[in-house]
Amino acid sequence: MAFLGTYNYWIFITLMMIGLYIVIVRGNLVKKIIGLNIFQSSVFLFFISVGKVSDGTAPIILHDGGEAIYSNPLPHVLILTAIVVAVSTSALALALIVRIHESYGTLQEELIHEAERAP
Amino acid sequence: MISAQLPALQVILPMFAAPIAILLRRGKLAWMLALVVTWIAFAISLVLLFQVLDDGPIQYFFGGWAPPWGIEYRIDALNAFVLVIIGAIGAAVLLFAGPSVEKEIREGHQHLFYALVMLLLAGLFGIAITGDAFNVFVFLEIASLASYALIAMGKDRRALTAAFQYLILGTVGATFFLIGVGLLYAMTGTLNMADMAERIHEIHDSRAVLTAFAFLTVGIALKAAVFPMHYWLPGAYAYAPSVVSALLAGTATKVAVYLLLRFIMIFGADFAYVALPLGATLAVLAAIGILVASSSAILQNDAKRLLAFSSVAHLGYIVLGVGLGNDAGVTGGILHMFNHALAKGAVFLAMGAVMLQIGATHINKLKGLGAVMPWTMAGFTVAGLSLIGVPLTAGFVSKWYIVTAAIDRGWWPLAVVMVVSSILAVFYIWRIIDAVYFSPPGANTENVKEAPVIMLAPLWALAGASVYFGIDSSFPASVAGKAAAIVLAQMP
């Protein structure tokens, strides 16, 4: 049952592999970016999982001053930053894709390489 | 007063100059702002280096929050040296940038170009100066995003695909880095590098720590273009605007190698070199990379692409030095970061001057340029000698360190690789020299004039420094030695 207890990490690894696979295998530049996004999102899930404390609650001081177990809020904050970074990366990549489409007329990697080899 | 705030100003000045450059809306004004800011940043980096050398490491708590709550900037001999490299190359390149950018970048884009350059410098300074592992990731992405956009501003349409390729590989590298940081945080409960280094020793055997080390090393190696992860580099350097090629060649990959050294320090040199075969792995990859990249350089027909392959080879030298893992090797690697930044910065600046005057860098187009652009080409030749590693140039000193380190370790074949690759370097530098000085001038070199003084001055400053530090290398070598001692502190 140890396997099920860490199921979120298994999801992280599966998503990560799917994302990387798309980045490597797909020839369409937009699909590559989607793969990259899946890959990055998987890492976000990993960070969030790390911050979870069993039976922990949101890290807000209780009204009655009682004791409570808190989840670690830091990974969430880090991931907010990382999400911003990922969004900027996607935006920049899509802008590049628009320019590439303008000058090559295609988004297929092989066709772009062919066009580059041609004098 | 203000001197206490220098570590923050180092990063904040260029970062704030970026939006101001956008608001200025005029290329010339943005250039002057960028120039002034970069020179101030260079001065700050020098002051910090001398402070560190005199009084030991500097700690700076951002916003007055002590770690582990706040972000700490921590400067020791290792990153102070890297800051000076970034500052020096930035100062030289921005002085050069004015006429070059006016020619190569569209009128309405020039102020945006300088804003991106400022962000790039802020990111690079930030990576080097910060003592917080997650902060490194943020600055890494600031610098990377700026450099993808800068590369895409090149005139050739291949600049776009080169930038895209770099974006994919760079993001994969940075995300690997993020996974490594996440695992380390899970294991140590801190993001502060100094605290991490303290706590990590007790959990060396943990598989999570091993995994973190693997992800960090591969991620950083992608960013540093260590063979065989160098695929993005030649295209990116070859098609980027001249100013960007010079800036990136001098700084970006060096900062990545710095990160590698920093994490070797955090994990402990005993862990990286003794418990794990990091040294041998890096050394073998570097040796293959040096030979492959040097041979590829000889076959290139575009001078900038040739020099880009030479960059991969020289990164190989640096990584080889790091991989050797003894005092002379790491010192040589760190010293070569500095020496190669000077020489490669100078040759890319020379190519920028050529680009300004004849609009191309294909070797066939360079024929006879020695007669019409004597100062540019003489500067190129001097820096080229340093790339080859001729005695009395800086390139020789650091290569000598690395060769002796290889012999000390008893890894003879690596010393042979160094010598063979130096001969290959003679060939590829000679291809350009031959076209420039010993070929009849082509039709395109008629009426070509020498580059303006404002471009020759930084070119000669870098080339001159290559010779100066080749004759008297005591200062950079002593700093590199101190930096190596920090990296190898845990070595048994």
Side-chain angles (χ1 to χ4, degrees):
Chain A
M1 277 298 132
F3 175 85
L4 283 179
T6 52
Y7 71 94
N8 38 359
Y9 292 97
W10 287 104
I11 293 174
F12 149 60
I13 290 169
T14 315
L15 280 177
M16 179 182 157
M17 288 303 139
I18 292 174
L20 270 181
Y21 179 80
I22 298 173
V23 172
I24 296 166
V25 172
R26 289 291 158 178
N28 185 302
L29 300 188
V30 177
K31 288 186 182 167
K32 267 190 199 296
I33 294 304
I34 293 173
L36 202 62
N37 274 325
I38 298 175
F39 170 50
Q40 289 175 307
S41 308
S42 75
V43 180
F44 304 162
L45 290 181
F46 162 67
F47 265 77
I48 303 294
S49 304
V50 166
K52 173 70 182 164
V53 177
S54 304
D55 301 326
T57 174
I60 304 166
I61 295 176
L62 296 180
H63 258 306
D64 51 16
E67 294 272 315
I69 300 170
Y70 295 124
S71 279
N72 186 349
L74 187 68
H76 300 72
V77 182
L78 299 181
I79 284 319
L80 271 180
T81 316
I83 288 173
V84 175
V85 168
V87 170
S88 334
T89 312
S90 306
L92 181 61
L94 292 172
L96 278 176
I97 286 177
V98 172
R99 295 262 318 272
I100 289 175
H101 191 262
E102 275 172 8
S103 43
Y104 287 89
T106 175
L107 288 180
Q108 288 300 323
E109 212 178 20
E110 316 87 73
L111 296 176
I112 293 172
H113 283 313
E114 258 173 47
E116 281 186 349
R117 270 194 294 272
Chain B
M1 264 281 285
I2 191 139
S3 67
Q5 306 298 329
L6 286 181
L9 288 172
Q10 179 85 81
V11 180
I12 283 175
L13 276 179
M15 190 172 270
F16 276 66
I20 298 174
I22 295 176
L23 292 176
L24 288 174
R25 303 207 67 81
R26 297 241 326 271
K28 201 110 208 174
L29 287 177
W31 173 47
M32 289 199 276
L33 173 77
L35 186 61
V36 171
V37 166
T38 318
W39 277 87
I40 295 176
F42 178 37
I44 292 176
S45 68
L46 281 176
V47 172
L48 287 176
L49 175 64
F50 284 109
Q51 276 184 9
V52 168
L53 290 181
D54 290 344
D55 309 329
I58 303 172
Q59 283 181 303
Y60 180 87
F61 302 147
F62 230 91
W65 293 88
W69 295 282
I71 287 171
E72 178 195 12
Y73 280 9
R74 192 186 168 84
I75 310 165
D76 52 25
L78 175 59
N79 53 359
F81 194 47
V82 177
L83 290 175
V84 169
I85 296 177
I86 305 168
I89 300 296
V93 169
L94 271 150
L95 187 58
F96 175 94
S100 177
V101 170
E102 233 162 72
K103 160 113 191 226
E104 287 183 37
I105 308 293
R106 236 187 21 221
E107 173 72 38
H109 284 177
Q110 287 171 9
H111 62 289
L112 300 174
F113 179 89
Y114 288 112
L116 284 171
V117 170
M118 287 294 96
L119 282 179
L120 172 60
L121 284 176
L124 294 173
F125 279 130
I127 299 171
I129 207 170
T130 188
D132 183 277
F134 189 78
N135 210 220
V136 170
F137 167 74
V138 176
F139 279 123
L140 190 67
E141 286 291 29
I142 293 176
S144 306
L145 287 167
S147 54
Y148 308 145
L150 283 170
I151 291 165
M153 282 175 128
K155 272 191 167 166
D156 196 306
R157 67 174 181 173
R158 280 172 290 188
L160 296 170
T161 43
F164 189 82
Q165 208 160 46
Y166 184 20
L167 184 143
I168 297 275
L169 290 174
T171 307
V172 171
T175 311
F176 270 35
F177 181 84
L178 186 60
I179 299 174
V181 171
L183 284 165
L184 277 186
Y185 176 64
M187 294 311 292
T188 60
T190 178
L191 289 168
N192 184 284
M193 289 171 166
D195 292 347
M196 251 182 204
E198 260 173 43
R199 293 181 198 173
I200 216 162
H201 271 280
E202 298 142 27
I203 45 172
H204 263 171
D205 301 328
S206 148
R207 194 177 293 173
V209 170
L210 276 176
T211 318
F213 187 70
F215 272 113
L216 287 167
T217 316
V218 175
I220 294 169
L222 255 169
K223 280 276 166 197
V226 175
F227 182 88
M229 287 166 272
H230 68 286
Y231 190 59
W232 57 269
L233 189 144
Y237 284 14
Y239 304 121
S242 313
V243 171
V244 179
S245 305
L247 196 55
L248 288 181
T251 54
T253 43
K254 315 285 181 297
V255 171
V257 175
Y258 155 74
L259 270 186
L260 182 64
L261 289 167
R262 180 60 78 195
F263 275 93
I264 290 176
M265 188 209 96
I266 290 174
F267 280 91
D270 51 346
F271 178 70
Y273 289 117
V274 183
L276 292 176
L278 176 76
T281 316
L282 284 181
V284 171
L285 286 180
I288 301 171
I290 290 169
L291 293 176
V292 171
S294 302
S295 321
S296 313
I298 299 177
L299 302 173
Q300 300 303 316
N301 289 320
D302 183 274
K304 266 175 87 178
R305 215 175 149 79
L306 183 155
L307 294 173
F309 272 102
S310 148
S311 268
V312 178
H314 278 267
L315 266 154
Y317 294 143
I318 299 171
V319 173
L320 179 58
V322 174
L324 287 169
N326 50 12
D327 208 33
V330 178
T331 305
I334 296 170
L335 190 58
H336 201 64
M337 276 160 64
F338 178 65
N339 294 341
H340 177 242
L342 293 178
K344 206 31 108 12
V347 292
F348 270 115
L349 287 186
M351 284 304 127
V354 169
M355 195 75 177
L356 177 77
Q357 302 299 25
I358 66 171
T361 52
H362 197 279
I363 291 183
N364 288 335
K365 299 260 168 80
L366 302 183
K367 283 182 179 158
L369 271 187
V372 285
M373 298 175 73
W375 287 100
T376 308
M377 283 307 149
F380 175 89
T381 311
V382 170
L385 291 176
S386 179
L387 285 180
I388 296 169
V390 175
L392 293 185
T393 63
F396 174 75
V397 181
S398 35
K399 275 191 183 175
W400 183 255
Y401 268 98
I402 300 171
V403 170
T404 24
I407 295 171
D408 279 352
R409 268 309 287 268
W411 292 354
W412 281 93
L414 296 178
V416 177
V417 165
M418 295 287 292
V419 176
V420 170
S421 72
S422 297
I423 297 168
L424 293 174
V426 174
F427 279 107
Y428 61 70
I429 294 295
W430 178 255
R431 283 200 61 197
I432 300 179
I433 302 283
D434 178 54
V436 165
Y437 286 109
F438 302 100
S439 302
N444 62 327
T445 49
E446 283 170 30
N447 305 322
V448 170
K449 286 204 228 28
E450 181 56 271
V453 178
I454 198 161
M455 298 174 90
L456 290 176
L459 164 58
W460 271 95
L462 292 182
S466 286
V467 175
Y468 178 82
F469 290 119
I471 295 167
D472 178 16
S473 65
S474 54
F475 179 66
S478 77
V479 180
K482 286 196 178 103
I486 294 172
V487 176
L488 298 176
Q490 303 287 342
M491 204 69 177

